[in-house]
Amino acid sequence: MYGAFALLERSLRVDSRALSPHLARLGLLGAIYFSLCYALTTSFMFGAPGLRFFQGIAYLDATFMTLLGIGFFSTSITEEKEEDTLGLMLMAGISPLGILAGKSGGRLWQSLLLIAVQYPFVMLAVTMGGVMHSQVWSVTVALLAYMVFLAGFGLLCSTLAPRSQTASVWMVIGLLIYFVVPSVAVSWSISHTTWLLNQRGTTPQTTLFRTLIEGIGDICVFLQMGKILTTGFRDTAWSTQVVTNVLAGVACVALSWLFFGVATRSPSTEGGSRGLVTRNRQLSPFYAGRTWINPFVWKDFHFVSGGMGMILVRVVYYGGLSLVALAIENKNDPYAMSWFGTIFFLVWFSVVVDAARVLSRSMQDEVRGQTLASLMMLPRSANGIVYSKFAGAMLGWLPGPIIGLIFTIVSPTMREGIEQMLYEQNGVNGIVVITMLILYFALIPHYAAFFALYVRWGAVALAIGMTIATYFVLMMGLSICLMLASGTGPINSAELLLFVISIVLFFICAACHIGVMLRVQALGSK
Amino acid sequence: MIETRQLTKRYGHLIAVNEINLSLKEGDVFGFIGPNGSGKTTTMRMIATLLAPDYGEAYVCGKSIYNDPREIRRLVGYMPDFFGVYDDMTVIEYLEFFASAYRINGPGRRKVCEEKLELVDMAFKRDAMVNQLSRGQTQRIGLARTLLHEPQVLLLDEPASGLDPRARIEIRNLLKKLGELKKTVIVSSHILPELADVCTRVGMIEKGNLIVDGYVDEVMRKARQQIMLQIRVKENMEKAAALLEQHDLVSHVDIVKGTIDATLKADTFDYSSLPTMLISEGFQLTLFREEEVNLETAFMSLTKGLVQ
Ligand SMILES: Nc1ncnc2c1ncn2[C@@H]1O[C@H](COP(=O)(O)OP(=O)(O)O)[C@@H](O)[C@H]1O
Ligand SMILES: [Mg+2]
């Protein structure tokens, strides 16, 4: 038991020096502050500022917790595997359970601080009116239960996966299922209400099906918070969501314990991590071949973006999604259209996340492998090296945006939508809107490349979180400014707002370029 | 080829490198010796243009580290003490990648890479994955990479650390070869014997200060100014030691493991009266010899009092 405490103490000390939890707390505080300002300025129109404010806090909490959890819990065991220290701990007589508890306890504590940090604001929300204590209590319990689930699930992924990267991918997939399946079930049961009602009591199977479909929506924390935060909520705090999430978390810890021995026996870095790139021409068509004239482009194309093999995978993925979407596109069926919209969003979101992933890996691999000094020692400009690397990584990414663009142009719905946007709508120039949207999504890969030089893991998650936070801060901050300034004369405030946001986003992207260059040079001389 | 003038680097209050003056000619193999944390890596990084000094100048082949860093990088091959390798590549891919980064392209590139692999005796691992190599093999691949662009100047930071004795000997032979190729080499180590017989020049650094610097034979000659004798007698060792201590030629005496170590006064070369004296006093001599001066003992005597 002593070993577990030693581990816990060390992980508390080491983790409190890590950047990401502090950034997350800072981001959350900033976001909450702006949410407060927003609630105050809009309450003149809608009333119940306390509830609106508290809603903001609750959803922000859950979002930040998710992002932090992915970067944080999924690395707890894998980082020891990667540094080959797990064996040492076991030899030092620390039991597997001790390691699991010690490694995740510190992180759980950090995440608890994340909730604690905004307690004064919650009190403020209550005094502002519109929120009941029972709602605050229920949301807190729901969030804590969700955190137990996150910690347990992350620990399980971390125990089973060979590397942190794999673990965080598994965790993202698991969480997507956790969010998407309940939402789909709920939306399906809403659109089939009458059919479901007619099934009542016909056969045990259909009853079971109905209970499942209706009950599955209760496990997701976002849906549960939606229920809690409606006016007139009077249920108990110990909801299905709380019970299932805590049980799932505990079950995951138990499974981690069970599989700890099996999963940690083999070393983590063994075997090539070349993905689909083969060493040998005879083995497959995805042969890396000889270095090109620009070796950095060659290297990042093959070893970061995945080479020809991954290009094929991307073509199949994006092409498949686009074809499915085009096939179900039918304007007379709102249900089909909602799926169409979801796939459209998924395609473009994948494009953005993929860009963020390849760019961050292009940097992170060098940092983790301590290879930057060798690169900076070359008689070439640092700019040339870094941008060649980015170009190589983006070369493999290209199928996504190309297929996405074709999809967008070919689909009548999207084409019409864009044409409509280009005409002035509600006094807002469509080009401004589109520019702002593009810059907003472009910010994610920019942040990802930049943060990859600072954090060991989870640069993409951090980048998404920071992009949302940036947008939130800009939107709230500028709209407050505009509201205060609107007495001065007739200005088209919405358009001006978007225009200013675009400019600021553009400058943040530019700052990321400069930041990456400075950081690469600094790391190269370390 | 390499010249530094009062090269200085501070980290806060810590002076990592303190006004180091070096001047190395073509073909010099400079053994840069000092304990951990004495400033070897910092010095080499400054010469390699990776780290900006706080004060002082350094020139490589007449080019200043401030004005021509790109040109210097072309002339210098630097092997860091810790360096990562792209572990998802094969050995030959790795070398070709760097060759191309040094703008060695075209049909000759593969040949250059294979030549260097040959030179470091790693040709048999040509198609192995880099992450499946042992520590010593990785070190040798790193050395091959450093040699790709035929650098005039080599900066090798602890190339032999963590290697088994056999690999150390191989690295030493390699260093000899490089010296014969008229390259200027700085090779650092925290262990002296490792470098003793391959260097033409040695320098010792301690807490950022270069306390000894010179050609090997010069250092030896300086060290030889005080001769140390090893004497063993059959009985009454303490008495013999006391007697020697009082002798005009002897500066001081230690007893180490049953042997009397008598250090003579400076510039004393004729000590033939000592054995005669001992025998006439009735001692039975079993050993009487001048201690062999090698680089290590030279250092020990030269740095006595300078290093604590
Ligand atoms: N980036 C740094 N920041 C602060 N101190 C450093 C840094 N790099 C080196 N030092 C300090 O400078 C001194 C010399 O280090 P180094 O040149 O690496 O020694 P050596 O290579 O001889 O072992 C050491 O005391 C070390 O702690
Ligand atoms: Mg060193």
Side-chain angles (χ1 to χ4, degrees):
Chain A
M1 215 48 232
Y2 172 75
F5 281 120
L7 259 186
L8 184 64
E9 198 221 323
R10 175 174 164 271
S11 90
L12 273 178
R13 249 190 296 125
V14 172
D15 292 343
S16 64
R17 260 186 272 132
L19 189 65
S20 44
H22 294 304
L23 265 183
R25 268 206 294 284
L26 205 69
L28 184 64
L29 268 186
I32 287 174
Y33 179 70
F34 279 98
S35 164
L36 171 66
C37 299
Y38 187 66
L40 283 177
T41 46
T42 52
S43 67
F44 304 117
M45 293 167 246
F46 304 107
L51 187 61
R52 299 190 124 260
F53 179 40
F54 187 63
Q55 270 170 349
I57 295 180
Y59 285 112
L60 280 171
D61 267 351
T63 310
F64 272 83
M65 218 183 263
T66 309
L67 291 173
L68 191 68
I70 293 169
F72 219 39
F73 293 120
S74 66
T75 59
S76 47
I77 303 296
T78 41
E79 80 178 12
E80 302 288 340
K81 285 188 199 172
E82 270 155 5
E83 281 163 21
D84 263 339
T85 42
L86 217 48
L88 292 180
M89 289 181 183
L90 288 171
M91 300 231 306
I94 309 178
S95 69
L97 200 59
I99 294 177
L100 290 173
K103 289 298 295 181
S104 54
R107 289 156 199 246
L108 201 58
W109 170 246
Q110 290 276 344
S111 319
L112 280 176
L113 286 182
L114 190 73
I115 293 195
V117 78
Q118 23 93 12
Y119 185 70
F121 290 100
V122 174
M123 290 295 97
L124 187 63
V126 174
T127 47
M128 280 160 77
V131 197
M132 290 176 301
H133 277 286
S134 67
Q135 282 173 315
V136 173
W137 172 240
S138 300
V139 165
T140 310
V141 172
L143 282 174
L144 286 177
Y146 175 55
M147 196 188 300
V148 171
F149 166 68
L150 272 182
F153 184 53
L155 197 61
L156 181 62
C157 292
S158 198
T159 307
L160 296 182
R163 293 145 57 98
S164 294
Q165 215 167 0
T166 323
S168 54
V169 170
W170 289 0
M171 196 164 171
V172 168
I173 293 173
L175 286 177
L176 277 180
I177 294 172
Y178 173 85
F179 296 136
V180 171
V181 170
S183 317
V184 169
V186 167
S187 78
W188 190 84
S189 69
I190 288 172
S191 61
H192 293 74
T193 318
T194 38
W195 182 79
L196 279 171
L197 279 177
N198 291 337
Q199 296 300 309
R200 189 189 293 267
T202 40
T203 65
Q205 284 92 334
T206 48
T207 319
L208 182 68
F209 176 70
R210 190 174 164 249
T211 333
L212 263 183
I213 273 290
E214 285 175 356
I216 206 162
D218 288 338
I219 66 166
C220 176
V221 71
F222 283 96
L223 298 175
Q224 177 65 19
M225 287 198 314
K227 274 190 201 163
I228 297 173
L229 292 172
T230 46
T231 27
F233 165 81
R234 5 196 113 267
D235 261 345
T236 162
W238 310 103
S239 60
T240 317
Q241 180 261 335
V242 171
V243 176
T244 51
N245 284 20
V246 169
L247 281 181
V250 172
C252 284
V253 174
L255 284 176
S256 313
W257 186 34
L258 201 62
F259 287 114
F260 191 83
V262 191
T264 54
R265 202 158 295 144
S266 53
S268 65
T269 45
E270 224 50 67
S273 46
R274 286 169 72 108
L276 294 175
V277 182
T278 50
R279 260 192 277 171
N280 209 312
R281 194 189 305 276
Q282 283 83 43
L283 284 179
S284 93
F286 310 135
Y287 172 57
R290 303 274 304 274
T291 315
W292 302 340
I293 293 284
N294 187 324
F296 311 104
V297 175
W298 171 82
K299 182 186 151 290
D300 281 34
F301 172 67
H302 284 102
F303 299 104
V304 172
S305 84
M308 293 311 288
M310 281 308 288
I311 284 205
L312 192 69
V313 170
R314 286 184 177 97
V315 168
V316 169
Y317 172 78
Y318 291 111
L321 278 180
S322 306
L323 288 179
V324 169
L326 291 175
I328 61 172
E329 184 175 11
N330 174 2
K331 277 189 219 137
N332 298 324
D333 182 356
Y335 189 63
M337 281 323 280
S338 81
W339 274 108
F340 174 82
T342 309
I343 295 179
F344 178 79
F345 177 78
L346 187 61
V347 165
W348 281 107
F349 191 68
S350 305
V351 168
V352 171
V353 171
D354 193 26
R357 201 187 63 92
V358 293
L359 289 181
S360 69
R361 261 203 66 190
S362 171
M363 292 290 105
Q364 214 156 30
D365 281 1
E366 305 281 349
V367 177
R368 247 185 276 141
Q370 296 183 306
T371 43
L372 271 176
S374 311
L375 289 189
M376 289 300 114
M377 194 53 220
L378 295 169
R380 286 173 173 257
S381 75
N383 280 6
I385 294 174
V386 169
Y387 284 108
S388 302
K389 282 176 63 60
F390 285 160
M394 300 295 271
L395 193 62
W397 160 84
L398 275 180
I402 292 174
I403 295 175
L405 272 180
I406 296 174
F407 167 39
T408 310
I409 293 167
V410 166
S411 150
T413 319
M414 294 325 298
R415 206 174 46 226
E416 258 172 48
I418 290 173
E419 275 166 9
Q420 267 176 20
M421 260 176 118
L422 290 180
Y423 294 114
E424 232 169 68
Q425 294 246 320
N426 311 322
V428 180
N429 190 330
I431 294 181
V432 175
V433 178
I434 293 176
T435 312
M436 204 282 293
L437 275 179
I438 291 175
L439 281 168
Y440 174 72
F441 284 112
L443 188 58
I444 295 178
H446 277 88
Y447 269 156
F450 179 67
F451 290 135
L453 294 166
Y454 284 90
V455 298
R456 280 177 69 81
W457 304 110
V460 174
L462 187 62
I464 295 175
M466 285 302 288
T467 302
I468 295 171
T470 305
Y471 180 73
F472 204 68
V473 166
L474 283 178
M475 196 72 187
M476 302 298 158
L478 288 171
S479 59
I480 290 166
C481 289
L482 283 178
M483 233 175 224
L484 296 177
S486 60
T488 56
I491 43 173
N492 186 346
S493 59
E495 194 172 299
L496 183 66
L497 180 70
L498 293 181
F499 185 67
V500 175
I501 289 180
S502 306
I503 290 179
V504 178
L505 287 176
F506 178 80
F507 277 106
I508 298 177
C509 288
C512 284
H513 284 257
I514 298 168
V516 165
M517 287 318 305
L518 292 178
R519 180 72 179 160
V520 163
Q521 273 159 355
L523 286 175
S525 71
K526 225 183 216 165
Chain B
M1 295 299 269
I2 300 179
E3 180 121 15
T4 69
R5 291 198 198 127
Q6 297 180 300
L7 201 60
T8 301
K9 181 76 194 176
R10 293 192 196 88
Y11 290 113
H13 289 296
L14 177 88
I15 304 179
V17 171
N18 189 16
E19 305 202 353
I20 283 193
N21 296 301
L22 273 181
S23 171
L24 302 181
K25 294 205 299 280
E26 192 179 304
D28 279 353
V29 178
F30 179 67
F32 199 23
I33 296 146
N36 288 320
S38 53
K40 304 180 297 289
T41 301
T42 310
T43 309
M44 290 169 104
R45 284 182 158 285
M46 286 193 285
I47 297 173
T49 73
L50 282 172
L51 187 68
D54 290 317
Y55 183 75
E57 252 293 4
Y59 300 91
V60 177
C61 301
K63 309 261 186 320
S64 155
I65 54 166
Y66 296 109
N67 304 331
D68 292 316
R70 194 91 65 89
E71 192 56 35
I72 290 184
R73 286 171 197 194
R74 226 184 292 280
L75 295 165
V76 168
Y78 169 58
M79 182 159 110
D81 46 356
F82 290 103
F83 62 93
V85 286
Y86 297 116
D87 51 12
D88 40 13
M89 287 190 185
T90 64
V91 168
I92 192 76
E93 274 173 354
Y94 178 76
L95 288 183
E96 283 211 52
F97 169 74
F98 273 99
S100 171
Y102 278 109
R103 299 180 200 283
I104 304 168
N105 281 311
R109 190 176 66 203
R110 173 68 58 104
K111 214 178 117 242
V112 168
C113 296
E114 284 177 347
E115 231 172 69
K116 302 303 173 211
L117 268 185
E118 210 60 66
L119 187 67
V120 297
D121 273 331
M122 285 289 292
F124 71 105
K125 282 282 185 188
R126 188 177 168 280
D127 291 310
M129 296 287 282
V130 174
N131 68 347
Q132 287 161 359
L133 301 180
S134 75
R135 169 88 209 253
Q137 290 169 333
T138 312
Q139 204 81 353
R140 277 192 269 170
I141 293 300
L143 196 56
R145 190 205 74 209
T146 316
L147 295 171
L148 280 175
H149 60 299
E150 296 292 342
Q152 269 310 297
V153 171
L154 282 165
L155 306 173
L156 310 176
D157 200 350
E158 312 222 0
S161 75
L163 300 193
D164 58 63
R166 198 190 139 73
R168 276 159 194 263
I169 291 170
E170 280 168 10
I171 292 263
R172 246 186 285 179
N173 292 340
L174 207 61
L175 282 177
K176 272 187 192 152
K177 261 191 239 170
L178 294 175
E180 284 156 16
L181 291 173
K182 286 282 162 217
K183 302 203 189 277
T184 308
V185 184
I186 298 186
V187 48
S188 78
S189 173
H190 62 278
I191 325 169
L192 180 60
E194 205 166 85
L195 299 177
D197 50 341
V198 286
C199 300
T200 59
R201 277 189 74 156
V202 282
M204 180 156 186
I205 186 172
E206 167 79 25
K207 295 195 176 134
N209 296 296
L210 195 64
I211 52 179
V212 177
D213 170 33
Y215 285 93
V216 170
D217 32 3
E218 207 176 291
V219 171
M220 301 273 215
R221 204 171 327 117
K222 258 193 225 161
R224 213 183 265 281
Q225 284 169 358
Q226 277 189 310
I227 292 172
M228 188 149 78
L229 298 176
Q230 293 186 315
I231 302 164
R232 221 176 274 165
V233 292
K234 229 176 183 171
E235 280 153 5
N236 292 329
M237 185 141 55
E238 282 78 16
K239 227 172 113 191
L243 203 65
L244 282 165
E245 185 108 57
Q246 283 150 19
H247 197 277
D248 286 344
L249 298 178
V250 178
S251 121
H252 60 270
V253 169
D254 298 309
I255 296 181
V256 183
K257 283 194 230 153
T259 307
I260 306 170
D261 284 350
T263 310
L264 301 187
K265 287 189 176 143
D267 300 318
T268 311
F269 298 106
D270 181 11
Y271 48 82
S272 54
S273 61
L274 282 180
T276 335
M277 185 269 289
L278 284 172
I279 291 166
S280 67
E281 291 288 331
F283 290 103
Q284 288 179 290
L285 276 184
T286 57
L287 175 79
F288 191 99
R289 70 162 185 219
E290 186 180 325
E291 194 188 44
E292 262 180 65
V293 183
N294 58 27
L295 204 48
E296 201 167 356
T297 45
F299 263 114
M300 292 320 285
S301 74
L302 280 176
T303 55
K304 205 171 270 172
L306 289 171
V307 186
Q308 55 274 40

